[in-house]
Amino acid sequence: MRTMDVVQYDENWENLFENEKTILESILGEHIVRIEHIGSTSIQGIYAKPIIDILVLVKCISDIDGYNHQMIAAGYDVRGEKGMPGRRYFVRFNDDNSGNHTHHIHIFQAENNPSYQDVEDNLIFRDYLRINEAARNEYSNLKIKLSKLYYTEPLSYHEGKTECVCNIVKMAKDYFNIHAETSERTT
């Protein structure tokens, strides 16, 4: 049974990302355009579930399906699009048979991506929380509260964050002067 264990920031999360980045580069090689550490484990000082979220942008998303066997061999569960058009999603589980995840890999095509806005929102959310202590603390405190309320209910935990995440993304877009019609940072 998955549990919503929210813990204090761990300096080792960046090392775990770098290790996984090396594995992904060895599997996907020339297909990769960019790899980013996203999610709460990428934000120093925030409380988070100890899951390393990684965003991988690739040249052609359909090419990634040919690497499912290599991803399985590297310890990943293949999840397909998992409700997000144009994404390939992979999950690594904790070795303790708890059902808890240790890594999430979100792979999208770099150009002509139907989920481009979701990709951009993840990056500006991360970047804004890295520089705005008040927003970072608000989000961190909410996650602690929700983890207690919905300890064994991942969907409720995730839904409980939605309004706060949307508000922070809006603040980030205002801060970075991102215009919805162009989705480009102008500062």
Side-chain angles (χ1 to χ4, degrees):
M1 172 182 291
R2 276 184 73 194
T3 55
M4 302 299 99
D5 297 299
V6 173
V7 299
Q8 191 170 12
Y9 180 80
D10 184 337
E11 296 286 337
N12 193 43
W13 288 339
E14 189 59 33
N15 294 330
L16 293 173
F17 161 72
E18 290 296 335
N19 291 341
E20 216 60 33
K21 179 179 176 181
T22 300
I23 292 169
L24 293 169
E25 288 171 337
S26 73
I27 295 170
L28 302 175
E30 75 276 355
H31 297 286
I32 296 172
V33 173
R34 180 175 167 192
I35 298 180
E36 294 280 343
H37 187 184
I38 60 171
S40 295
T41 59
S42 70
I43 303 162
Q44 195 166 33
I46 199 167
Y47 277 73
K49 292 189 319 263
I51 300 170
I52 308 302
D53 279 290
I54 300 174
L55 171 68
V56 182
L57 298 177
V58 296
K59 295 173 187 171
C60 181
I61 195 66
S62 61
D63 291 344
I64 302 310
D65 297 332
Y67 291 88
N68 286 344
H69 291 301
Q70 289 95 324
M71 292 296 285
I72 291 168
Y76 282 98
D77 187 52
V78 178
R79 300 288 178 96
E81 288 187 332
K82 185 81 173 173
M84 191 173 288
R87 172 175 73 167
R88 297 302 182 269
Y89 181 55
F90 301 87
V91 174
R92 178 174 287 161
F93 291 96
N94 193 320
D95 292 335
D96 66 5
N97 294 320
S98 66
N100 287 331
H101 303 167
T102 61
H103 297 76
H104 293 163
I105 309 301
H106 311 267
I107 304 178
F108 294 93
Q109 188 164 295
E111 294 182 15
N112 301 316
N113 176 355
S115 295
Y116 174 79
Q117 197 58 57
D118 293 311
V119 170
E120 183 66 19
D121 286 355
N122 265 290
L123 294 171
I124 65 169
F125 180 79
R126 175 202 65 192
D127 293 349
Y128 187 70
L129 288 181
R130 284 178 171 175
I131 61 173
N132 187 303
E133 183 178 6
R136 185 171 56 245
N137 289 339
E138 175 188 357
Y139 186 56
S140 190
N141 290 334
L142 176 63
K143 293 191 317 165
I144 292 167
K145 176 184 169 187
L146 291 172
S147 71
K148 292 175 184 171
L149 286 172
Y150 304 116
Y151 187 66
T152 59
E153 302 173 49
L155 185 57
S156 295
Y157 170 85
H158 180 72
E159 288 173 352
K161 298 186 305 176
T162 301
E163 183 178 349
C164 181
V165 168
C166 289
N167 289 338
I168 291 171
V169 167
K170 183 184 180 326
M171 289 187 298
K173 286 180 178 182
D174 290 344
Y175 178 83
F176 292 120
N177 197 20
I178 296 174
H179 303 285
E181 64 276 0
T182 63
S183 293
E184 293 179 6
R185 294 185 195 190
T186 57
T187 58

